[in-house]
Amino acid sequence: MSGGDTGAAAGAEPEPPAPGGGPGRTVIAERVVEKIAARAVRDAGRVGGVAPRLLGVPLGREGTQRASPVTAWVGGDVTSLAVTVSLVWPHSARTTTRRLRDHIVERVQTLTGLRVDHVDIDVAQLPSPSRPARRVR
């Protein structure tokens, strides 16, 4: 080493912060936010997921037990969400989506500490409620 070299060697690990330097930083992955929002949709009632589609034909059944596709974008302490759902007919789409949006925002903010900027809800299906099997007399 030369006499004027006082810096750390190239490629060396940075020194840890000094004690009392403040708390660290918590990063919440987008996938975590998506799972929390999907669970909030399932818990909301009168709302369900949609079956994957091939050329517009559902591959499976829609319903309240199917998970809803959710996409999250996280930037710093803010997140935005896009959710695709099915709503049970004949309930009001406006009232149900407003209630769903409020529930998603509350759950994501409570569990992650992130501020939810907005939630886009795409209603892809309006299935009729399940009817009991008819009896033959």
Side-chain angles (χ1 to χ4, degrees), residues 89-109:
W89 179 258
H91 297 287
S92 166
R94 175 179 284 164
T95 302
T96 305
T97 54
R98 184 179 301 131
R99 185 176 48 83
L100 175 61
R101 183 175 286 110
D102 292 344
H103 183 64
I104 291 170
V105 168
E106 187 274 326
R107 295 307 295 155
V108 169
Q109 288 183 166

Side-chain angles (χ1 to χ4, degrees), residues 43-134:
D43 294 343
R46 288 190 263 166
V47 179
V50 293
R53 297 176 182 276
L54 179 64
L55 299 174
V57 177
L59 303 173
R61 296 174 43 119
E62 266 96 7
T64 56
Q65 299 306 311
R66 181 175 288 282
S68 293
V70 177
T71 303
W73 298 272
V74 177
D77 64 345
V78 178
T79 186
S80 297
L81 300 159
V83 182
T84 303
V85 298
S86 60
L87 301 180
V88 177
W89 179 258
H91 297 287
S92 166
R94 175 179 284 164
T95 302
T96 305
T97 54
R98 184 179 301 131
R99 185 176 48 83
L100 175 61
R101 183 175 286 110
D102 292 344
H103 183 64
I104 291 170
V105 168
E106 187 274 326
R107 295 307 295 155
V108 169
Q109 288 183 166
T110 299
L111 294 173
T112 66
L114 297 172
R115 182 174 58 85
V116 179
D117 184 47
H118 71 273
V119 178
D120 292 330
I121 299 176
D122 180 25
V123 179
Q125 197 75 358
L126 293 171
S128 297
S130 299
R131 294 186 180 143
R134 294 180 61 180

Side-chain angles (χ1 to χ4, degrees), residues 22-33:
R25 194 172 144 230
T26 302
V27 177
I28 310 271
E30 291 172 344
R31 185 71 188 129
V32 172
V33 176

